Amino acid sequence: MTTPSHPADDSAELLPVATPARTRAALRALIRPDRGLALTGIGVLVAATAVGLLVQPLLGRIVDTVADGRPAGDLTLPVVLLVAVAAVQGVTTTIGLTRVARLGETVLARLREQFVERALDLPADRLERAGAGDLTARVTGDVARVAEAVRSALPEMARSVLAILLTLGALALLDVRFLLAALLAVPVQLLTARWYVTRALTLYADQRVANGAQQQQLLETIGGAVTVRGHRLEEQHTERGAGRSRKAVELTMRSVNLVLGFYGRLHIAEYIGLAAVLIAGFWLVRDGAVSIGTATAAALYFHSLFGPVNAALVLLDDAQSAAAGLARLVGVTDLARPAEPVAGETEPAGAAEPAPVPHQRTGPQQRTAPGAAVAVDAVSHAYGPGRPVLHEVSLTLRPGEHVALVGTSGAGKSTLARIVAGVQQPTAGTVTAPAGAGEPSVVLVTQEVHVFTGSLAEDLRLARPDATDAELRGALSTVHALDWAEALPDGLDTVVGEGGHRLDPARAQQLALARLVLAGPALAVLDEATAEAGSAGARVLERSAEAALSGRTALIVAHRLTQAVAADRVVVLEAGRVVESGPHEELRDADGPYAALWRAWSGSRTAPHP
């Protein structure tokens, strides 16, 4: 179960945050596969802590030996035993902490894998509503918080809790009155912990949300810097960023004051408990109930509690912060958990890159459309209340048909393309397609192409991991990219992407089209896939796209109307509705919306013959 985050502003719908109960359940599920490792680690730590508790009685025996005036030789055995205790405790503590740390790292790795897997399944429109800053804050800040807690807080917390419990038991063995005196500090410590926890969880959750909103504002300002400067909005964006930064700083200072108050209350508890144990020791020694050495051991036991008690309570700070971060991560994994596929259907998925995407994307109902490559039936979509983008769009693509989507900016072309590709769920209506026989049923290629870091061959094999070098070269040749690929310094082994050989937009898009060829989908969706090339590379990319789409059913969001000329059919969208559909020549001569678009676009251009 998840609850929505508090939005930083009215325009953002941040990703949800899991409830405490759901977070605990998710944590148990993460640990369950490694229960044996957890039990072994805790068992070894118990043994190490128990051995360490022999130090105080041995020191008490030394005190009694000196107080009774015994020979110096009587000190040999306690000293030797102290050295043995230190050695055994050191070895067992190392083994126990190593196992607990291994458990933590394993659980953290499992959490990261689940988060990445589920985050990649998030619908594109859901990410757009939340903004990149919220997801970025979770991927960076929240994962770092949980990782820090796993690596440092978890082992220390385990050791501290064990030390507290066993030390209190040792005090009771010396004399139960020492335990009762020590417990006078507990009410202050419990009240301190309650005071802190009730304030910390909400404060740290708000702090994480504020940091996400701050990152979102920075990303929006930097990403739209040209527009901001062009409209002279620098002052407005600077003030907005400063406001969100002030909010984050204010919450940070509140957390600092909270921690300072927490430490102050802990010191009061320490003074109360130690004074009570010393007074109890004084009365018991005076009455002859215990020896000076026993009273010394009791005082040392309580003093040894300072470290673990303070560590356990102080670690509440890390625990609360990590719990807030974990709840935000679990909120994403729950949100993105894909539904179980119905019999005869495949799970929908999508990507901004040409990766294999099994397709059976629907709205309220799912079904197969026999004899049709794709059938869009009364599809509507809205990005929020009062923000409709598509209105009952119906469209059928016959097997092998190339359909071009055209229309003015904001007409809903990209939204329809992403719904057909399975990247986005429609608000209403259905999209059906026959399942691919051993091949992915749909691949989406957009104008925003990412070149992954690694060799060119590895980048291509993202679409088909088992592809041979000959198949890679064949795909590159199909999209007219083999010549420049083989001319790279190391050919297909050339490292591309971040820190490697830089590919210009046209070549990056050809790489994406080659991945499409390797994936071999029944349906290809191109969303302005040639728009980033510029005029010089546009014709080359159009040839590459035409070759990549050969023999496939294709839906093409046409940035340039030359793509519409080459298509079998043109579909015109206006304000989210289909207003025209037909071959290029027919629509051009019909003096309708497409003819107006053609005249505005072509001007003095000479249109190529289809």
Side-chain angles (χ1 to χ4, degrees):
M1 180 177 179
T2 58
T3 56
S5 297
H6 303 293
D9 54 47
D10 294 336
S11 63
E13 183 186 336
L14 299 185
L15 297 169
V17 176
T19 61
R22 173 61 196 135
T23 303
R24 290 191 295 270
L27 184 59
R28 288 194 296 270
L30 288 169
I31 295 175
R32 191 172 297 120
D34 298 291
R35 283 175 295 184
L37 182 60
L39 293 175
T40 303
I42 292 174
V44 175
L45 284 179
V46 169
T49 305
V51 170
L53 292 177
L54 296 174
V55 170
Q56 288 82 356
L58 290 172
L59 291 174
R61 182 173 177 178
I62 292 173
V63 170
D64 282 338
T65 300
V66 174
D68 294 343
R70 299 175 194 170
D74 290 353
L75 297 175
T76 302
L77 180 60
V79 171
V80 171
L81 290 176
L82 283 173
V83 173
V85 166
V88 173
Q89 186 184 26
V91 172
T92 52
T93 299
T94 300
I95 295 173
L97 290 178
T98 300
R99 290 185 174 275
V100 172
R102 182 180 300 169
L103 170 68
E105 290 296 334
T106 303
V107 170
L108 179 61
R110 191 174 292 124
L111 173 64
R112 281 174 166 164
E113 290 170 359
Q114 287 185 7
F115 180 83
V116 171
E117 177 185 355
R118 305 280 168 75
L120 291 175
D121 286 335
L122 282 174
D125 59 328
R126 186 65 184 87
L127 278 178
E128 289 174 356
R129 293 200 305 272
D134 186 32
L135 187 62
T136 301
R138 299 185 192 220
V139 171
T140 55
D142 292 324
V143 169
R145 290 278 185 175
V146 175
E148 182 181 356
V150 165
R151 289 169 181 153
S152 58
L154 176 62
E156 187 62 29
M157 177 67 85
R159 188 169 63 169
S160 298
V161 170
L162 291 173
I164 292 168
L165 296 176
L166 293 178
T167 302
L168 291 176
L171 277 172
L173 289 176
L174 292 179
D175 193 295
V176 71
R177 286 167 285 190
F178 285 126
L179 175 61
L180 295 176
L183 292 179
L184 290 177
V186 172
V188 179
Q189 292 167 335
L190 291 178
L191 289 173
T192 298
R194 181 180 178 183
W195 173 85
Y196 175 78
V197 169
T198 55
R199 290 161 175 79
L201 187 59
T202 302
L203 178 58
Y204 285 124
D206 290 343
Q207 192 175 1
R208 299 259 60 82
V209 171
N211 288 338
Q214 182 189 33
Q215 289 193 34
Q216 176 65 26
Q217 182 61 46
L218 290 174
L219 288 172
E220 288 178 353
T221 301
I222 294 172
V226 174
T227 303
V228 170
R229 286 195 297 266
H231 290 276
R232 299 177 180 264
L233 298 175
E234 296 95 331
E235 184 175 346
Q236 178 181 346
H237 275 254
T238 300
E239 179 56 34
R240 189 177 301 169
R244 294 189 176 180
S245 296
R246 283 193 296 270
K247 179 66 174 178
V249 170
E250 176 190 346
L251 290 170
T252 300
M253 294 307 301
R254 283 175 55 189
S255 68
V256 170
N257 291 330
L258 183 66
V259 171
L260 292 176
F262 179 68
Y263 277 112
R265 287 166 170 78
L266 286 184
H267 292 325
I268 295 173
E270 291 172 359
Y271 296 146
I272 292 173
L274 184 57
V277 170
L278 290 174
I279 292 171
F282 171 78
W283 287 104
L284 291 173
V285 171
R286 193 186 70 169
D287 294 342
V290 299
S291 67
I292 295 176
T294 301
T296 302
L300 290 174
Y301 269 137
F302 186 82
H303 188 273
S304 71
L305 283 174
F306 285 7
V309 168
N310 286 349
L313 294 177
V314 167
L315 286 173
L316 286 174
D317 180 70
D318 292 336
Q320 293 301 315
S321 181
L326 181 61
R328 285 160 56 81
L329 297 178
V330 173
V332 172
T333 62
D334 283 351
L335 176 68
R337 183 174 287 116
E340 293 296 328
V342 189
E345 298 169 346
T346 56
E347 293 185 21
E353 301 297 325
V357 184
H359 181 52
Q360 188 71 18
R361 176 66 70 184
T362 69
Q365 180 183 3
Q366 298 192 0
R367 62 180 184 271
T368 300
V374 168
V376 179
D377 184 15
V379 162
S380 297
H381 188 72
Y383 287 104
R387 298 170 56 192
V389 179
L390 297 175
H391 304 272
E392 297 187 351
V393 173
S394 294
L395 175 66
T396 300
L397 279 73
R398 296 182 295 274
E401 184 182 25
H402 291 182
V403 174
L405 274 181
V406 302
T408 57
S409 179
K413 304 185 298 297
S414 293
T415 300
L416 180 58
R418 291 193 295 183
I419 289 174
V420 170
V423 174
Q424 199 161 298
Q425 285 277 13
T427 305
T430 60
V431 177
T432 58
E439 298 288 351
S441 69
V442 63
V443 162
L444 169 68
V445 183
T446 74
Q447 61 180 329
E448 298 174 357
V449 173
H450 182 72
V451 178
F452 294 88
T453 300
S455 70
L456 184 64
E458 292 171 339
D459 204 307
L460 287 166
R461 286 194 175 99
L462 290 171
R464 195 200 301 173
D466 60 349
T468 65
D469 285 351
E471 288 172 325
L472 300 184
R473 288 187 171 87
L476 289 169
S477 177
T478 298
V479 299
H480 311 294
L482 183 59
D483 289 343
W484 64 256
E486 291 187 329
L488 294 175
D490 297 313
L492 295 182
D493 294 326
T494 302
V495 175
V496 295
E498 189 70 26
H501 186 88
R502 184 176 179 82
L503 298 182
D504 61 39
R507 290 183 173 182
Q509 197 65 261
Q510 284 182 308
L511 179 60
L513 292 170
R515 289 202 293 258
L516 184 151
V517 173
L518 286 168
L523 169 67
V525 179
L526 270 59
D527 185 2
E528 298 189 351
T530 65
E532 291 293 319
S535 299
R539 195 60 62 88
V540 173
L541 273 186
E542 287 174 8
R543 287 178 54 231
S544 299
E546 183 180 356
L549 298 178
S550 178
R552 312 181 199 285
T553 306
L555 181 65
I556 307 160
V557 177
H559 177 71
R560 293 177 172 83
L561 292 190
T562 50
Q563 296 171 293
V565 174
D568 299 315
R569 182 157 51 101
V570 179
V571 172
V572 184
L573 287 181
E574 270 191 11
R577 292 181 171 84
V578 175
V579 294
E580 278 189 308
S581 178
H584 160 73
E585 296 88 349
E586 178 183 317
L587 298 184
R588 181 194 59 193
D589 298 336
D591 201 25
Y594 180 76
L597 286 174
W598 176 259
R599 288 192 299 269
W601 181 83
S602 60
S604 60
R605 296 181 179 91
T606 302
H609 293 289

